[in-house]
Amino acid sequence: MGGMSLVQSVDNVALLPAYLAAGTAVLVLLADLLLGRAGATVAVAAAGAVATVAGAVVVGAGETRRTFCVGADCSWVFDGRAALVAAVFALLTLGVLGLSGPLLGAGPTPVGEYCFLLACSMTGGVVLGAAGDLITLVVAVETLTLPLYVLVGLRRGSLASAEAAVTFFVVSVVATTLTLLGAALLYAVTGGLHLDRLGALLGAAGDLPLTTAAVTLVVVGLAFKVAAVPFHAWAPATYDGAPLPVAAYLSTASKLGGVVALLAVVQRALPADVTGPVLAGLAVLTMTVGNLVALRQRRTVRLLAWSSVAQAGYILAPLGALALAAGRTGEARATAYAAVVAYAVFFVALELVAFAALVALRPAGADGGTVDDLRGAARRYPWAGAAFALALTGLAGLPPGLAGLFAKVTVVRSLLAGGAGWLALVVAVNAVVGLAYYLRLTATLYAVDASAGPAVRDGRPAWAVSAALAGATVVALVLGFAPQLVLALAAG
Amino acid sequence: MSSGDFLLVAVLAVPAVGAVLVAATPRDRAARLVGTAVAGLTLVAAVLLVWGDHGWFGYGPAPAVQPWHELDLPWVPGLDLRFHLGVDGLSWPLVALTALLTLLCCGYTVWRVPAGGTGRALVALLLVVEVGILGTFLALDLVLFFVFFEVVLLPMYAIIAGWGGDDRRRAARKFALYTLLGSVLLLVGVSVVVADAGTADVVALTGGTGLSRGTQLAAFTLLAVAFAVKSPLWPLHSWLPDAHTQAPTVGSVILAGVLLKMGTYGLVRMAVGVAPEGARWAAPALGVLAVAAIIVGSLVCLAQDDLKRLIAYSSVGHMGFVLLGVATLTATGIQAALIGNIAHGVITGLLFFLAGAVKDRTGTGALAELSGLRETAPRLAGLLGFAAVASLGLPGLAGFWGEAFAVVAAVRRGGGLWTTLAVLAAVGGALTAAYFLRLLRQVTHGRPTPAVARVAPGLAGAELAAWTPLVLLALAVGLVPALVLGFAAGPVDALVGVLR
């Protein structure tokens, strides 16, 4: 590479969304330091998230932008899909900020730190979508998850919260180590770190030593992040121990991060004949175990956590299908990758609605409680209850949750396009199992014998929670009637 | 936008908007009246659909599906989903029947709201169910068909779980899980077709053009199992007796009257139409299962001691005749299936209304406690007798044509298997007569039991208003089967044409 210039021109426009996200974190810190008013700090964080969405949309609307390039390989590729990912992360952050209103108002949680950590996590998510090499990818994933260790433990005086934080921390660090080890082995074998270059090298060289081990390590490390079975055990305890808004963030943004990272390496870098069988097995295990265990859950957040484990299985399925199908075409592959992104976006929208409704229904600052705590809640609070029911039906893949229905259609379709009919049948049967517990929760919301006492909130929820719930519900409804918005971007 | 397009949209939009209006109307009775008016408007739009281009002429081979009205708009290109609606002779009778039954149920709810929830919510849910059923019958896009197929599931669950009998939760859950199993298989089947053909347009796909034999066999198997759950076909029927028995009267009427028809209609239009090769391959198996349903349904009915449950199980037998007609894959058989569909909808709808009335008055559904109804409530007993006789297939009433011609079609199909099936189905028909006569003997004759003795003889105006149209239709379809067959002849001939 001696002849290549070492001075790079950096395309700052391509980096604008990342600047905005990182700037948000810095500004939040400054606002907290200089103004010291909780409202101002939250407002700065919210404004920063909105600016990040705007930046992602503006930059993403143009041509694909690349920067930090060595030859043809670039570490930063901001295309339509990266813009979608960045915008979704920023919107999720905004939603979670809204949900955090009662938590921050209730007292012991430090507002400045909370908003700063959330903004840092958002920065990781924004960078993740555009990452073009393994190092950027791993750093982005860590930037996304590192603040969450602290956020999970923020319920002061709660043993469950502290336990959750430690569990999450230990598991996550081990996972990262595995991914890094895999990345190091890949570098040792091929001498490349850029995703596209790795793909080309591994594709051309055929049978390189250690490749299988390296690829498996990378995939398994990232499977921890999406809580795929058998790397899922941390998720239910962590979700249940964390404050509700943080659990919402974990099950949406953090999960989306894992999916995006996994997709990036599987689509661009790693040989499908190695990743495919691993991912297909993970997908089947994840959806089946997730659904079966969710059937038996009595606590609401644990039920949602296990259900999100199952959903991760549906998300992984198209990736697994690809490699198993002989003679797959480029079109089938593109369909599968788009299906993964689209399903993930539909899922996080519905999951956020579910958590937002739960926050709105429960007393300020409370944890998720048991399913029975919500008995008859939808009759007392028809709007929040209806939103919760909408989200649950969507997660079950049924109307009126049309977004979930189309998510299911997208995945089954991509599986059949990839020639994996058996996997489609597994998904189908799992959808039936899933309905059983979503239906139980929904029916509890509308139970007539409303004995709901202190378990359900009195009076109106904070306006920020209402706004977040309304916003997320509107997004989920719009996606239900116009799923093409997501499908088009996901395909890009 | 032509008037046909307008009507097609109106048939779906009026009940959909109406459901929202009903939910938003503050006073309960006013909301129920609004819902009835909306259902009435929907019926008007549905009936008006009949005026259109019925022309079955032209040069060259006719297309297999020739809608009277057609509306085709893009919706989700990424999923090959188009908002493609159309109505023809196969679907119009079912569309009209759906609109009629929904109107009758809404009107009935104005008069009486079953215990469990507000009348407003019940009427709103009935209208949502109507949107789903009508959309299923009107969809000419496989994916759209699936979407509407799913729309029905949760509102119907809510109707059973909210306003049903004592064991409603379990029955509703069973209904939801069973039918979801059917519809996810439908999704896989639809996706098999769409992934192979690259289009979801039913008009283009009918005849199986462009699909390989393997795809057709897989698609037909998946679709047939999916529709067999919905119809339901023995041995996938076990959700039906519970759901029908536990559902409130209006729920049972809609369930038996039109919801089951989504399965048989889907089988004819989607499964047979799109994968004819698969249909030919699977026809013997389908026929055997259909006849098994007839025999098993009849035998179970003979042993039933609950009025609603007996009527529910009778549906298994009747739908067996419909499926036998389809399985023959002949013009006669498919026409028999279509008229059997309509007749069953009208007659069983009426039977469930009457069973509900009996149960409301006496507080029991046990046959042993219901004897002597003729003594205290002669009109109700008379109507029950009429409906039972119509249901057992007396010539001159609606039930006759579907069952008789299903048997005829099987005989004409020839060969040892089909002749045996025809004979067995005929035996099943005789058993049907036996259990309905047993029902009449137990309920109407004998000395009044204490429960029956306190029944007042009169019928409410709302009851008469709900039942009269069904009585008249049962007579009309029985005397002039051309009411249904006249519309269906062209599409059925075209469908059978592509089957060859």
Side-chain angles (χ1 to χ4, degrees):
Chain A
M1 294 189 191
M4 202 171 286
S5 163
L6 290 178
V7 181
Q8 290 195 340
S9 67
V10 174
D11 182 356
N12 286 304
V13 177
L15 288 165
L16 182 67
Y19 290 155
L20 286 168
T24 305
V26 174
L27 277 180
V28 164
L29 211 54
L30 287 177
D32 187 45
L33 203 66
L34 300 177
L35 302 175
R37 284 185 22 227
T41 312
V42 177
V44 168
V50 172
T52 310
V53 175
V57 169
V58 170
V59 179
E63 290 286 297
T64 300
R65 286 173 170 274
R66 299 160 190 277
T67 189
F68 298 127
C69 294
V70 181
D73 307 315
C74 299
S75 295
W76 183 269
V77 185
F78 203 85
D79 52 8
R81 191 183 288 170
L84 175 69
V85 170
V88 171
F89 268 107
L91 285 173
L92 287 172
T93 309
L94 191 63
V96 169
L97 269 176
L99 298 186
S100 310
L103 178 76
L104 298 177
T109 311
V111 179
E113 284 89 329
Y114 187 93
C115 293
F116 169 70
L117 290 169
L118 214 49
C120 286
S121 186
M122 171 175 81
T123 311
V126 170
V127 173
L128 182 59
D133 69 65
L134 273 178
I135 299 303
T136 312
L137 190 84
V138 173
V139 169
V141 170
E142 276 318 292
T143 316
L144 172 65
T145 22
L146 206 61
L148 296 177
Y149 307 143
V150 186
L151 286 174
V152 168
L154 267 183
R155 246 171 58 206
R156 295 210 171 142
S158 160
L159 192 60
S161 187
E163 273 180 8
V166 173
T167 315
F168 183 37
F169 176 70
V170 172
V171 171
S172 210
V173 166
V174 172
T176 309
T177 318
L178 290 180
T179 308
L180 277 174
L181 185 57
L185 286 177
L186 280 177
Y187 180 68
V189 174
T190 63
L193 276 174
H194 289 93
L195 299 173
D196 294 325
R197 186 169 177 74
L198 270 174
L201 287 171
L202 290 171
D207 212 13
L208 287 168
L210 282 177
T211 318
T212 308
V215 167
T216 309
L217 283 173
V218 171
V219 169
V220 164
L222 293 174
F224 269 106
K225 302 284 181 189
V226 293
V229 176
F231 315 112
H232 64 289
W234 61 272
T238 306
Y239 287 18
D240 201 20
L244 270 183
V246 177
Y249 194 80
L250 273 173
S251 70
T252 54
S254 173
K255 178 149 289 189
L256 182 64
V259 171
V260 171
L262 208 47
L263 186 64
V265 295
V266 170
Q267 178 178 4
R268 293 162 64 185
L270 303 184
D273 55 336
V274 184
T275 53
V278 176
L279 287 170
L282 283 181
V284 171
L285 264 181
T286 304
M287 63 181 96
T288 311
V289 172
N291 275 324
L292 289 179
V293 181
L295 281 176
R296 304 206 44 83
Q297 296 308 309
R298 292 284 169 268
R299 292 184 60 77
T300 313
V301 174
R302 277 188 187 254
L303 191 150
L304 288 175
W306 281 104
S307 96
S308 82
V309 169
Q311 301 278 349
Y314 303 145
I315 297 177
L316 293 180
L319 293 181
L322 268 185
L324 292 174
R328 57 194 172 272
T329 60
E331 196 186 347
R333 300 181 65 138
T335 313
Y337 300 137
V340 170
V341 176
Y343 194 100
V345 172
F346 289 131
F347 162 72
V348 295
L350 292 164
E351 185 85 349
L352 186 67
V353 175
F355 269 99
L358 185 59
V359 172
L361 288 173
R362 295 278 293 159
D367 64 1
T370 64
V371 172
D372 281 336
D373 287 343
L374 295 171
R375 184 164 289 277
R379 291 182 182 266
R380 281 177 64 186
Y381 300 100
W383 289 105
F388 206 167
L390 178 85
L392 292 171
T393 58
L395 289 171
L398 284 175
L402 277 177
L405 175 76
F406 287 123
K408 192 168 74 178
V409 176
T410 310
V411 162
V412 169
R413 220 181 111 79
S414 79
L415 288 175
L416 287 164
W422 66 275
L423 205 48
L425 283 174
V426 174
V427 169
V429 172
N430 265 289
V432 179
V433 178
L435 180 65
Y437 58 83
Y438 290 122
L439 212 49
R440 179 161 63 87
L441 186 48
T442 314
T444 308
L445 287 174
Y446 283 94
V448 182
D449 41 342
S451 54
V456 171
R457 172 183 46 78
D458 272 326
R460 303 173 65 80
W463 69 266
V465 174
S466 304
L469 176 58
T473 310
V474 168
V475 169
L477 281 174
V478 169
L479 291 185
F481 284 100
Q484 187 63 25
L485 294 174
V486 172
L487 292 171
L489 283 172
Chain B
M1 190 183 239
S2 71
S3 63
D5 296 351
F6 176 75
L7 283 175
L8 282 172
V9 172
V11 164
L12 294 180
V14 169
V17 175
V20 177
L21 274 184
V22 169
T25 307
R27 284 186 42 237
D28 196 74
R29 191 180 155 76
R32 284 179 272 153
L33 286 171
V34 169
T36 309
V38 165
L41 271 179
T42 313
L43 177 62
V44 170
V47 169
L48 285 179
L49 276 175
V50 78
W51 280 279
D53 177 20
H54 294 206
W56 282 92
F57 48 81
Y59 299 103
V65 180
Q66 229 180 59
W68 304 341
H69 305 288
E70 199 174 359
L71 175 73
D72 193 0
L73 301 170
W75 185 5
V76 190
L79 298 174
D80 289 325
L81 168 56
R82 298 182 65 80
F83 196 75
H84 188 179
L85 301 176
V87 65
D88 68 359
L90 283 186
S91 51
W92 182 79
L94 289 166
V95 168
L97 180 64
T98 309
L100 175 68
L101 283 181
T102 310
L103 173 62
L104 299 182
C105 287
C106 288
Y108 190 82
T109 310
V110 173
W111 173 67
R112 164 167 292 170
V113 180
T118 62
R120 175 177 50 225
L122 180 57
V123 168
L125 287 172
L126 282 173
L127 290 173
V128 176
V129 169
E130 184 184 24
V131 175
I133 300 177
L134 289 174
T136 309
F137 291 145
L138 291 176
L140 285 182
D141 180 289
L142 277 175
V143 184
L144 186 67
F145 176 86
F146 164 74
V147 171
F148 278 118
F149 204 83
E150 295 253 74
V151 166
V152 176
L153 203 150
L154 285 179
M156 198 67 221
Y157 164 84
I159 289 176
I160 301 174
W163 289 265
D166 298 330
D167 195 19
R168 56 181 182 271
R169 294 256 165 72
R170 202 182 56 79
R173 201 164 51 232
K174 201 165 166 185
F175 163 79
L177 294 180
Y178 258 87
T179 42
L180 180 65
L181 177 66
S183 61
V184 290
L185 292 177
L186 173 64
L187 171 61
V188 178
V190 162
S191 305
V192 166
V193 173
V194 177
D196 198 42
T199 175
D201 184 358
V202 174
V203 178
L205 284 169
T206 301
T209 40
L211 293 180
S212 70
R213 181 178 159 81
T215 308
Q216 289 204 29
L217 300 195
F220 187 85
T221 309
L222 287 163
L223 294 178
V225 174
F227 295 133
V229 173
K230 199 78 167 188
S231 306
L233 178 60
W234 182 85
L236 297 170
H237 67 284
S238 72
W239 62 269
L240 177 134
D242 289 338
H244 283 57
T245 312
Q246 294 301 323
T249 300
V250 289
S252 305
V253 170
I254 294 290
L255 259 177
V258 280
L259 207 110
L260 307 185
K261 277 57 182 187
M262 290 163 62
T264 44
Y265 171 80
L267 192 67
V268 173
R269 169 78 89 201
M270 306 297 165
V272 174
V274 170
E277 183 117 18
R280 272 196 298 276
W281 168 73
L286 206 58
V288 169
L289 288 176
V291 169
I294 296 172
I295 300 287
V296 171
S298 312
L299 290 177
V300 172
C301 280
L302 270 175
Q304 275 308 316
D305 47 14
D306 183 274
L307 182 59
K308 271 186 107 173
R309 222 174 157 77
L310 189 150
I311 298 171
Y313 260 111
S314 81
S315 292
V316 176
H318 287 307
M319 296 320 275
F321 278 103
V322 172
L323 291 166
L324 177 64
V326 177
T328 62
L329 298 179
T330 59
T332 315
I334 294 177
Q335 294 217 6
L338 293 177
I339 197 167
N341 255 346
I342 299 295
H344 178 260
V346 170
I347 298 168
T348 310
L350 181 59
L351 272 171
F352 271 116
F353 266 130
L354 295 169
V358 169
K359 205 169 173 179
D360 285 343
R361 284 171 167 72
T362 61
T364 176
L367 292 180
E369 295 175 41
L370 283 176
S371 65
L373 195 66
R374 198 179 52 173
E375 308 283 328
T376 53
R379 287 182 212 163
L380 187 58
L383 280 168
L384 192 62
F386 172 81
V389 169
S391 187
L392 65 80
L394 191 75
L397 293 174
F400 169 71
W401 300 105
E403 314 207 340
F405 278 92
V407 175
V408 169
V411 172
R412 280 203 192 150
R413 181 79 198 259
L417 174 71
W418 290 101
T419 311
T420 315
L421 290 180
V423 170
L424 287 174
V427 171
L431 289 174
T432 310
Y435 68 74
F436 268 118
L437 293 176
R438 169 177 164 267
L439 167 79
L440 287 182
R441 182 173 56 78
Q442 289 201 326
V443 173
T444 62
H445 291 59
R447 299 181 64 80
T449 58
V452 172
R454 57 169 192 267
V455 174
L459 297 178
E463 290 180 319
L464 278 178
W467 303 344
T468 310
L470 296 177
V471 172
L472 294 179
L473 263 181
L475 272 171
V477 174
L479 295 173
V480 194
L483 275 179
V484 178
L485 296 182
F487 297 122
V492 169
D493 287 344
L495 183 64
V496 174
V498 301
L499 278 173
R500 295 214 180 87

